[in-house]
Amino acid sequence: MSGAIPGPDGRLRCPWGLSAEEYVAYHDTEWGRPVHGDDALYERLCLEAFQSGLSWITILRRREGFRRAFAGFRIAAVAEFTEADKERLLGDVGIIRNRLKIEATVANAQALATWSPGELDSLIWSYAPAARPAPRTLSDVPAVTDESTALSKALKKRGLRFVGPTTAYALMQACGLVDDHLVDCVARGGA
């Protein structure tokens, strides 16, 4: 079952988009849709970093907890977090309590707070690849591309952490830089 499959409503979707109830709404209304704005992109970048080594459903189910814990992912607010805030986060059962990921989230906000408004948005979107054929099956969807590798390098060069090529590609997928909905998927092209 690596091609699009019918959901409860009979419409074809990417198989992963039907594997849990929370995935249906995320798949249908968010994943692959263009995201702009520094804070919005920072949130997605942080969530993708927290997802590393875990399933995305774990992150989706804790997303509101992450938003509460990290001041709505407002870069300026998170950049002001202290060591006491990091310790508070390590005890917060509403998020993933990984010290390295928490520290990277705060450090990334501190780095981004020095950037000009719109700079993160411009940088990320400058790596959007040219359109390519729609994937027919999940095996046609890459985990890393030349563009995600280049984006990862650019983000790291600017001081960001937990932004490897796989995380960068997941960000590109989630934020609509690429449309990796399968060719027969109802959500293909933002439908």
Side-chain angles (χ1 to χ4, degrees):
M1 290 197 318
S2 60
I5 59 174
D9 59 3
R11 300 184 324 166
L12 295 175
R13 289 183 177 83
C14 302
W16 67 265
L18 294 169
S19 61
E21 185 178 313
E22 296 89 343
Y23 274 145
V24 177
Y26 178 72
H27 169 274
D28 287 2
T29 64
E30 190 172 348
W31 191 75
R33 303 295 191 281
V35 173
H36 286 281
D38 292 345
D39 289 341
L41 288 165
Y42 170 67
E43 174 184 0
R44 297 337 185 276
L45 187 63
C46 294
L47 293 177
E48 294 297 345
F50 271 101
Q51 184 272 329
S52 181
L54 303 170
S55 70
W56 182 245
I57 195 67
T58 301
I59 303 304
L60 270 183
R61 289 179 176 157
R62 293 185 176 160
R63 192 171 189 181
E64 290 309 314
F66 276 109
R67 286 176 172 162
R68 282 189 299 276
F70 288 101
F73 289 102
R74 292 183 322 277
I75 294 168
V78 178
E80 298 296 324
F81 278 21
T82 64
E83 290 302 316
D85 289 309
K86 292 178 195 175
E87 289 303 315
R88 170 186 54 83
L89 292 167
L90 285 169
D92 189 333
V93 297
I95 66 169
I96 305 302
R97 296 173 290 171
N98 178 298
R99 182 178 297 277
L100 292 176
K101 292 176 182 181
I102 289 169
E103 289 178 358
T105 300
V106 174
N108 288 349
Q110 291 167 341
L112 291 169
T114 68
W115 294 22
S116 300
E119 195 171 352
L120 178 62
D121 190 303
S122 294
L123 176 70
I124 289 173
W125 278 91
S126 73
Y127 288 91
R132 62 175 193 257
R136 294 199 152 294
T137 67
L138 293 179
S139 62
D140 296 332
V141 179
V144 174
T145 63
D146 291 342
E147 294 88 358
S148 74
T149 300
L151 173 58
S152 170
K153 287 179 183 176
L155 292 168
K156 287 178 182 179
K157 185 176 181 179
R158 299 287 306 269
L160 273 60
R161 300 169 14 195
F162 266 92
V163 290
T166 303
T167 297
Y169 192 69
L171 174 76
M172 294 170 81
Q173 292 172 304
C175 295
L177 279 76
V178 295
D179 184 353
D180 277 343
H181 286 284
L182 300 181
V183 68
D184 295 327
C185 178
V186 68
R188 176 92 193 152

